[in-house]
Amino acid sequence: MWEHMLIKRLQPDREMPSIRNGPSATATDGEGDVAMEDVEAQEKPLAENPLLMTEAPWNTGKAREKAIEIAMENWGCPAFWMSRTPVCAAFAAGKASALVIDVGGANTSVTAIHDGMILKRSIQKSPIGGLWLSQQIRTMWDNNEPKVNIVPYFMIENKTPVDAGAPAQARLRNFPFEITQSYRAYEEERLLTEFKESVVEVWRGPGRYLNPGNEDLVKSQPGRVFEMPDGANQMWREQRYRVSEGMWDENAALLNPDGSGKAQTIPDMIKACLNAVEVDIRPNLLGNVVVTGGTSLLNGFNDRLNNELMAMHPGMKIKLHAAGLTTERRFGAWIGGSILASLGTFHQMWISRKEYEENGVNIVEKRCK
Amino acid sequence: MASHDVRDVLNLPADGAGSRPTRKQKIAAPRPNLKGLAREVQSLGGDNPIAIVPEISTFKKRRFGSRKPAAKWEMMPFRNSARSDQSLHLRHWKKETDDQSRAASQPQSDVQTPGGAGMEVAKANVIDDSGFAKFNVQVDVPQYSEDQYNSNLVNDDWTKDETDYLFSVVRDFDLRWPLIWDRYEYIPQSHGIVKEEKDMDGPDPNTAMIPVPKPRTMEDLKKRYYEVAAKMMAVQKPVQYMTQAEFSLHEMMANFNPTTEIQRKKFAHDALSRSIDEAREEEQLLIEVRRIVARQQKLNLDRQDLYRRLDFPPTEQDITSFKSSSGLSTLLQNLANADRSKKRKPILDTNGVNTPGSAQPSAHANSTPVSESRRESIAASTGGHRDSIGGGERPERPTKKGAQQQQQQQERKKLTEQEEKIYGVSHHDRLPSGPTFRYERINKILTTKSNAQHQRITNTLTELDIPSRLNMPTKNTRKMNDKIDAEIRLEQAKKAERKKSMPVPTPSTSTLSDNAKNTEGSSESEPTRTSETANATNAESTGPTAASNADSVEDKSTAKLVVNGAINDEKNNQAANDNEAESSGHLKPETSEETNTRPESSGGHKRSASVLSGVSDKSTKRLKK
């Protein structure tokens, strides 16, 4: 509800034409001016407080300039600042220098932070994240022996319990209107998220999951049962490790029908990231590894990461910092940004409206490095 | 089961039963307050109410009790003087103080009025500065002018543009080299006019080519920066005028060696990319090293311990107080005190022999207990020393020590002969304390005796007219004695002469020679005579010899009486012998006379030395005859 109100204020519905014809529409000598006038007339929803935004480290200069323009012109912020997500995540963990491994929904990034600033050359980005994992699960379900159909909750009218592996007995709901594709995708993602949270697990190591013997070991262990919305249920044993193994081992990734699926793995990214920074700061980075992002909450993720790092750098002191609470892990950047903005020494860094007016949009590139 | 049942089971008297019901009723009143407990469950507790339910009444009371009204906070605008743009006023929550609240109420009207330029100033005065502004520190990056660059800093590898760019990046990133290197993206000015102006001699194709940015390693950047910084430092302040810190900084920057730095990084890289086996081997080696070091440390500790035991306790004291003579004397005294109290022990031990220590089996007297006791005594002495230092009161020390030693006395063990030899321990009687007066010896006799004996002795002495203080011969008395002696001899010679002359009168000339002969003969015969007398007349006769040396008659009599008083101990004897050695036989005749005369002078006739003359001598001789 609150979120809705906020979005409404920031992105107001375009009901402006009526105002455009109003008394304020006096000077109309060009498109630009019309836009400006439009801006003048709009409500300035964030005029009260300075605004701190976080951005991906690979954000382009153009996008950043657009961001400050919107914040200053449309929202009327008195002051503005942009901070990089991994920097804020490192601050949330209480570090000024860290190797931030951010395993998010759309992608995973590994970034080295030195003294509160990202090292641009070290930025590594890979699509393996929550969505990639969902795709892996879909592929696995497709290839499963009784093929698993994804039927979101909203489509089920009623269901009867069935035995494991038996076909589902459920009556689907009929809608007199067409369900949009996006809503369907959203609901399917909800289901997949539930599966990820309750079933999927990361092979903790040592070694890779595909190493001989590991799979047999897992098969002998008790699995987990997952019941679909339509009542179909199944015990998941080795598959639940297999779907996440692609994050660590390129060969383990399940190939989609179109052949995609492989991506740069997390160990590869860490390796590439460390190779792109100075030798002197590598030990320090390895001693301050910050793990953040919702997908890093997968069971066993930190254990595996620690094992991989140990194998990569034997004899080094490796320390992982991962917030224990789910919320803190998911919104690490938000927490770090909140910490940053409340620092007393941060006040001198804000880009004020006056500075923006004097220097224009490129001030953001100069100041927010 | 209620408590009276328990009492019943245990056969306890139910005398409290009468009073209990009343108490129960009292407790019953608050019980219904306990929520969430069934009555049956509550009754299980019997007399003692069940304390499962936490009591929260106190909490509630405190909350609304005597409390000050909540502090007022208000959103206060503030500015930050570290900002280049002073117009930005941020706000934060601040505790409201009295004067602030008063001030806040006043400008409220001002705020509502449209802010003019004058208003802005007034507002800035009211708005306080952020406390964090002072933390805005800038890194000092050297600056150079165009001329300075051309005269000092020209480098083939670096254009001025790139140097400028480097310095701007350095300034931007506050000398954080990893960041500088990371963000260093110099794009050469596209074959600008600048370049053509600068090096006209350069070949045309060079300028025509699209300049490719040179890949710079961190060492390149550092080298250039340090080179420029060092040169600028020297330009601003010649090397010889630099302070020590400045000079060392200058030297460090001027001598920056990129190759060693690269080498170092290569080593670091190798260390990072070790294999598991190598890492394991290194770990094992490290463990080994640690073990060796630990062993070495232990050995050192042991050795130090040993040295500490052998050494004097270290003095942490200020020795200036002992540099004056008075300080030294007090120190000496203290040491002597300590020494005395220390020395008393072995004596006590040997005297009071066979205190528990010696009674113990000899097995105990082997080296370990001894070393223990030694250790303890050292520890005690050092401890005592520390105490004295801590207290700063030196006089207290001996007493403390004494107390400690009293305690320790029991721990002392008797050493075997062998051990005494090893440790150089020797026992002996108490040494006499330096020179004393001879006449004091009689006091010693008196003091060492018991009270009853003392009484008896003094009685005897007074009876015999012997003073408590004896008079001893001096040089003068001896001289006088010799004189008298010579006179006596002369008289004797005369007498003999007269005897001879009586029957056969001889010329007087021979008398002299005879006299001389006689004296010789007498002196020769004296030793034998003395020995005779000594033998014959036992101590009685020797005593008088000593006494007779004294001029005063009193002395003589006392000496005699001492003899008579049967207090003849070796000491007197010794004294007598000494006297004999000195004035041996000269007096023997006289002594014999004296012994003879003594009975007559039973009452102890007193004659003064001055009165003692040839006349009296004659009389005695007459008597002898």
Side-chain angles (χ1 to χ4, degrees):
Chain A
M1 185 66 184
W2 193 83
E3 194 183 338
H4 178 72
M5 275 174 62
L6 197 69
I7 288 168
K8 262 283 172 327
R9 283 191 79 183
L10 289 175
Q11 299 175 333
D13 297 333
R14 295 278 166 169
E15 298 161 350
M16 294 306 161
S18 60
I19 300 172
R20 198 180 286 175
N21 298 332
S24 66
T26 43
T28 49
D29 50 356
E31 273 301 302
D33 265 352
V34 171
M36 284 306 290
E37 180 208 338
D38 186 18
V39 162
E40 289 295 322
Q42 275 176 18
E43 191 192 4
K44 299 280 194 283
L46 290 177
E48 290 165 15
N49 291 306
L51 176 68
L52 172 69
M53 281 184 86
T54 60
E55 55 170 349
W58 51 84
N59 206 6
T60 59
K62 278 248 166 57
R64 307 178 81 199
E65 285 174 5
K66 187 72 188 164
I68 191 172
E69 194 187 324
I70 292 169
M72 287 290 182
E73 307 284 349
N74 290 16
W75 298 340
C77 296
F80 181 73
W81 183 262
M82 285 194 100
S83 183
R84 258 68 175 236
T85 317
V87 174
C88 287
F91 284 159
K95 308 274 173 198
S97 301
L99 183 72
V100 179
I101 299 171
D102 185 349
V103 193
N107 51 40
T108 293
S109 70
V110 177
T111 320
I113 310 291
H114 181 78
D115 257 7
M117 292 197 192
I118 56 161
L119 295 171
K120 274 190 175 157
R121 298 185 193 195
S122 71
I123 300 165
Q124 300 294 323
K125 185 181 137 191
S126 164
I128 44 169
L131 294 176
W132 173 87
L133 190 58
S134 300
Q135 192 54 49
Q136 293 278 304
I137 294 166
R138 279 173 202 268
T139 312
M140 181 191 81
W141 281 352
D142 281 346
N143 299 338
N144 200 40
E145 197 27 64
K147 193 182 170 197
V148 180
N149 289 312
I150 304 174
V151 185
Y153 281 104
F154 75 95
M155 293 178 73
I156 307 297
E157 190 164 11
N158 69 8
K159 66 176 178 186
T160 47
V162 292
D163 286 340
Q169 293 180 352
R171 196 166 73 235
L172 297 187
R173 209 172 258 165
N174 282 321
F175 294 97
F177 49 86
E178 197 185 342
I179 304 298
T180 59
Q181 199 55 45
S182 63
Y183 184 71
R184 168 92 194 211
Y186 174 73
E187 283 292 319
E188 281 183 6
E189 195 57 44
R190 260 184 69 194
L191 176 63
L192 287 162
T193 303
E194 201 184 323
F195 186 77
K196 278 188 261 184
E197 283 169 355
S198 54
V199 175
V200 174
E201 199 162 340
V202 175
W203 172 249
R204 286 153 208 262
R208 299 182 161 181
Y209 176 68
L210 289 189
N211 287 358
N214 286 343
E215 192 143 24
D216 298 335
L217 178 73
V218 169
K219 273 178 185 162
S220 68
Q221 307 259 315
R224 291 194 185 174
V225 177
F226 187 78
E227 188 186 310
M228 291 291 167
D230 57 4
N233 60 76
Q234 192 189 337
M235 174 83 85
W236 302 96
R237 278 207 179 89
E238 69 278 2
Q239 299 98 320
R240 64 199 190 101
Y241 288 99
R242 183 63 195 267
V243 286
S244 65
E245 185 61 17
M247 297 173 113
W248 312 96
D249 183 2
E250 213 171 331
N251 300 326
L254 303 169
L255 289 179
N256 298 331
D258 57 349
S260 68
K262 290 197 180 195
Q264 199 184 13
T265 61
I266 290 173
D268 286 347
M269 279 195 283
I270 293 170
K271 214 172 276 175
C273 173
L274 285 177
N275 282 335
V277 302
E278 269 297 311
V279 176
D280 288 349
I281 60 170
R282 282 179 208 173
N284 185 30
L285 291 178
L286 282 172
N288 297 293
V289 179
V290 173
V291 183
T292 185
T295 308
S296 73
L297 287 163
L298 282 178
N299 238 335
F301 184 91
N302 283 344
D303 294 335
R304 180 61 182 275
L305 181 60
N306 199 32
N307 274 325
E308 291 284 340
L309 284 170
M310 297 277 254
M312 249 194 278
H313 299 281
M316 293 292 301
K317 187 194 155 225
I318 289 159
K319 198 165 180 206
L320 291 187
H321 292 266
L325 294 175
T326 314
T327 331
E328 283 182 31
R329 192 85 69 84
R330 286 168 70 197
F331 307 117
W334 193 94
I335 293 163
S338 149
I339 291 169
L340 175 66
S342 59
L343 288 178
T345 43
F346 182 69
H347 298 317
Q348 69 196 45
M349 294 167 77
W350 288 112
I351 300 170
S352 70
R353 170 167 283 278
K354 196 175 162 196
E355 283 169 322
Y356 168 75
E357 279 161 6
E358 280 170 11
N359 297 293
V361 287
N362 57 359
I363 192 174
V364 75
E365 280 293 299
K366 277 189 211 149
R367 294 281 290 276
C368 310
K369 282 166 191 151
Chain B
M1 186 161 69
S3 69
H4 59 265
D5 295 335
V6 178
R7 280 176 179 279
D8 204 5
V9 169
L10 293 173
N11 283 333
L12 285 171
D15 50 347
S19 64
R20 190 153 303 124
T22 59
R23 252 204 284 165
K24 244 184 198 167
Q25 274 166 357
K26 247 187 242 166
I27 295 161
R31 237 179 235 174
N33 288 347
L34 297 175
K35 283 171 196 157
L37 268 185
R39 190 167 46 84
E40 289 81 6
V41 176
Q42 277 191 17
S43 71
L44 275 175
D47 295 338
N48 311 315
I50 295 170
I52 300 170
V53 182
E55 294 205 5
I56 52 168
S57 56
T58 53
F59 175 67
K60 269 182 185 165
K61 237 178 244 168
R62 201 167 292 157
R63 191 171 165 194
F64 298 109
S66 58
R67 260 257 303 260
K68 280 191 284 180
K72 274 188 181 166
W73 290 75
E74 61 174 352
M75 206 61 150
M76 292 289 289
F78 68 96
R79 63 192 175 80
N80 192 322
S81 58
R83 284 187 64 86
S84 55
D85 157 38
Q86 289 295 311
S87 65
L88 177 68
H89 293 152
L90 301 161
R91 289 169 301 156
H92 58 179
W93 288 105
K94 219 174 174 188
K95 214 174 209 171
E96 194 177 55
T97 55
D98 286 346
D99 52 324
Q100 265 179 351
S101 58
R102 239 178 288 126
S105 62
Q106 278 185 343
Q108 243 180 3
S109 56
D110 294 350
V111 171
Q112 278 153 7
T113 60
M119 254 311 302
E120 202 65 28
V121 176
K123 221 175 172 185
N125 287 342
V126 173
I127 291 165
D128 49 0
D129 193 5
S130 165
F132 296 97
K134 60 173 178 285
F135 295 112
N136 185 30
V137 284
Q138 300 288 333
V139 173
D140 198 20
V141 172
Q143 310 257 334
Y144 49 84
S145 67
E146 186 86 37
D147 291 341
Q148 280 171 331
Y149 184 86
N150 288 333
S151 58
N152 291 310
L153 309 172
V154 176
N155 189 310
D156 290 343
D157 196 26
W158 290 77
T159 62
K160 180 162 189 302
D161 271 345
E162 195 169 0
T163 312
D164 289 346
Y165 176 76
L166 169 69
F167 272 70
S168 72
V169 174
V170 165
R171 208 169 295 125
D172 281 349
F173 292 102
D174 298 338
L175 276 173
R176 284 175 286 192
W177 287 107
L179 282 168
I180 293 165
W181 174 76
D182 184 69
R183 305 292 179 88
Y184 190 86
E185 281 169 350
Y186 177 65
I187 299 145
Q189 294 293 310
S190 47
H191 45 275
I193 312 114
V194 190
K195 201 163 190 184
E196 279 190 9
E197 275 177 4
K198 256 188 184 171
D199 39 5
M200 290 298 282
D201 53 328
D204 268 7
N206 197 12
T207 50
M209 263 164 52
I210 298 163
V212 181
K214 283 174 192 156
R216 300 286 190 190
T217 64
M218 192 192 274
E219 280 66 42
D220 292 338
L221 301 177
K222 275 187 180 175
K223 183 167 180 265
R224 179 62 178 161
Y225 175 78
Y226 289 143
E227 183 196 346
V228 172
K231 277 180 179 166
M232 289 315 293
M233 228 175 136
V235 165
Q236 274 156 15
K237 204 175 189 182
V239 176
Q240 57 266 33
Y241 297 123
M242 284 181 186
T243 63
Q244 189 62 42
E246 281 172 346
F247 183 72
S248 61
L249 179 66
H250 177 263
E251 282 300 290
M252 213 194 321
M253 291 203 295
N255 295 332
F256 177 73
N257 189 355
T259 49
T260 53
E261 193 75 352
I262 288 166
Q263 226 165 3
R264 184 183 68 78
K265 286 202 175 151
K266 200 168 154 287
F267 279 131
H269 187 262
D270 288 348
L272 269 175
S273 53
R274 282 170 308 187
S275 73
I276 296 175
D277 286 342
E278 284 169 336
R280 201 169 293 151
E281 193 188 336
E282 191 187 283
E283 205 168 306
Q284 277 169 355
L285 284 175
L286 274 176
I287 289 167
E288 188 75 14
V289 164
R290 219 169 291 146
R291 208 166 51 207
I292 289 168
V293 167
R295 205 185 301 148
Q296 185 78 25
Q297 267 178 348
K298 193 168 165 284
L299 204 70
N300 280 347
L301 270 180
D302 284 354
R303 194 175 295 163
Q304 263 177 10
D305 194 39
L306 190 66
Y307 281 146
R308 209 180 55 243
R309 274 163 211 284
L310 294 175
D311 248 357
F312 292 107
T315 53
E316 298 119 358
Q317 216 175 350
D318 189 21
I319 58 155
T320 46
S321 60
F322 304 121
K323 283 190 174 167
S324 66
S325 61
S326 62
L328 265 181
S329 65
T330 52
L331 176 66
L332 194 68
Q333 202 182 328
N334 284 327
L335 285 178
N337 282 344
D339 215 30
R340 208 179 300 153
S341 50
K342 240 184 230 169
K343 257 185 192 161
R344 203 179 297 149
K345 249 177 292 155
I347 292 163
L348 282 171
D349 204 17
T350 44
N351 283 359
V353 181
N354 318 332
T355 41
S358 63
Q360 276 170 357
S362 62
H364 259 251
N366 59 19
S367 62
T368 42
V370 168
S371 63
E372 265 173 24
S373 68
R374 262 170 75 93
R375 212 176 296 153
E376 276 160 12
S377 69
I378 288 165
S381 67
T382 52
H385 202 61
R386 293 257 168 76
D387 276 359
S388 72
I389 291 162
E393 290 170 315
R394 317 209 100 247
E396 272 185 25
R397 199 167 88 192
T399 58
K400 268 187 189 171
K401 257 216 165 125
Q404 274 179 344
Q405 277 163 355
Q406 284 278 324
Q407 278 189 333
Q408 284 212 337
Q409 201 175 327
Q410 307 229 322
E411 294 164 11
R412 292 247 162 183
K413 303 275 176 347
K414 195 142 195 267
L415 304 179
T416 64
E417 217 167 295
Q418 201 185 357
E419 283 161 358
E420 279 179 9
K421 223 182 256 173
I422 291 167
Y423 300 124
V425 177
S426 64
H427 302 286
H428 45 74
D429 289 341
R430 194 172 185 174
L431 295 169
S433 56
T436 51
F437 288 111
R438 208 185 294 157
Y439 65 77
E440 277 180 350
R441 281 177 185 162
I442 193 163
N443 292 346
K444 204 178 269 174
I445 301 162
L446 294 176
T447 50
T448 49
K449 299 300 176 206
S450 72
N451 206 25
Q453 272 178 318
H454 184 235
Q455 195 69 34
R456 223 175 293 154
I457 289 162
T458 42
N459 283 346
T460 325
L461 283 175
T462 45
E463 200 181 305
L464 296 171
D465 267 351
I466 298 172
S468 58
R469 189 186 148 157
L470 301 177
N471 285 321
M472 294 293 159
T474 61
K475 203 177 170 186
N476 289 335
T477 53
R478 244 193 84 180
K479 216 185 254 173
M480 193 71 85
N481 193 26
D482 283 350
K483 205 171 134 193
I484 292 162
D485 211 21
E487 269 178 32
I488 289 166
R489 240 170 252 149
L490 195 65
E491 290 303 318
Q492 276 178 339
K494 274 182 187 170
K495 201 177 162 187
E497 199 75 20
R498 219 178 291 148
K499 264 185 186 169
K500 267 183 199 169
S501 65
M502 286 263 267
V504 190
T506 50
S508 60
T509 50
S510 65
T511 54
L512 273 172
S513 61
D514 272 355
N515 202 5
K517 274 177 197 169
N518 267 357
T519 48
E520 279 176 3
S522 69
S523 66
E524 279 168 11
S525 64
E526 266 158 16
T528 52
R529 273 163 72 181
T530 47
S531 62
E532 277 172 29
T533 49
N535 290 339
T537 61
N538 65 31
E540 284 176 29
S541 63
T542 52
T545 53
S548 61
N549 285 342
D551 265 17
S552 67
V553 182
E554 290 168 20
D555 289 354
K556 284 180 194 168
S557 58
T558 49
K560 282 172 216 158
L561 290 169
V562 164
V563 173
N564 288 344
I567 321 156
N568 40 358
D569 46 25
E570 309 98 7
K571 278 158 197 164
N572 258 346
N573 227 336
Q574 275 178 2
N577 289 337
D578 288 346
N579 285 341
E580 276 171 12
E582 283 171 22
S583 60
S584 54
H586 302 280
L587 304 172
K588 279 307 156 235
E590 199 182 326
T591 55
S592 54
E593 283 162 29
E594 295 284 322
T595 45
N596 291 340
T597 53
R598 201 187 57 214
E600 289 170 350
S601 63
S602 63
H605 55 267
K606 290 165 186 176
R607 286 175 292 182
S608 70
S610 55
V611 178
L612 200 70
S613 59
V615 188
S616 63
D617 278 72
K618 273 171 205 162
S619 68
T620 53
K621 275 161 212 160
R622 226 181 290 132
L623 274 167
K624 201 180 175 185
K625 247 190 284 173

